[in-house]
Amino acid sequence: MVLFRRLLGDVLRSARMQRGMTLRELSAEARVSLGYISEIERGQKEASSELLASLCQAMDLPLSDVLRDVADAVSVEEAAMGVVVSTTIDVGRRAGDVVASAA
């Protein structure tokens, strides 16, 4: 089973280390407890959207980059597990929209 929180933690830890930041520095900059960030990085805790935004801001890292990297990691793990993805979700489409088909 692919765990989003574990992959998110891996991406956040990698980003922090690439920036040469310690947990203590990130904790102070993001105003989040060091222990909680550590648990997130180890995949033991789920990060709220507000907390994730705070961590990204503290690292001067776009949230979209983090989510893209996590999505890529999920895709790799799914492929390794033999999961077949057959549909794409159009996030721009709203409920009730009518889609024409040329079929």
Side-chain angles (χ1 to χ4, degrees):
M1 170 172 46
V2 177
L3 284 179
F4 180 85
R5 71 174 185 253
R6 182 180 55 79
L7 297 174
L8 174 63
D10 292 345
V11 168
L12 290 172
R13 180 184 305 109
S14 176
R16 177 180 58 77
M17 293 177 78
Q18 284 178 351
R19 283 160 177 70
M21 293 180 82
T22 64
L23 276 171
R24 187 172 310 283
E25 291 167 336
L26 180 57
S27 172
E29 185 70 27
R31 302 182 73 128
V32 176
S33 81
L34 185 149
Y36 199 69
I37 296 172
S38 177
E39 288 179 312
I40 290 168
E41 285 189 355
R42 288 181 281 135
Q44 295 177 336
K45 295 286 184 182
E46 297 278 354
S48 69
S49 57
E50 292 87 358
L51 180 80
L52 186 53
S54 181
L55 294 174
C56 288
Q57 183 176 7
M59 291 189 283
D60 195 28
L61 178 66
L63 175 60
S64 59
D65 286 357
V66 170
L67 295 176
R68 195 173 300 109
D69 289 348
V70 174
D72 290 346
V74 168
S75 183
V76 167
E77 286 212 5
E78 287 176 338
M81 293 171 38
V83 174
V84 178
V85 178
S86 62
T87 61
T88 301
I89 299 171
D90 183 354
V91 295
R93 189 176 300 150
R94 292 171 293 178
D97 284 353
V98 177
V99 178
S101 174

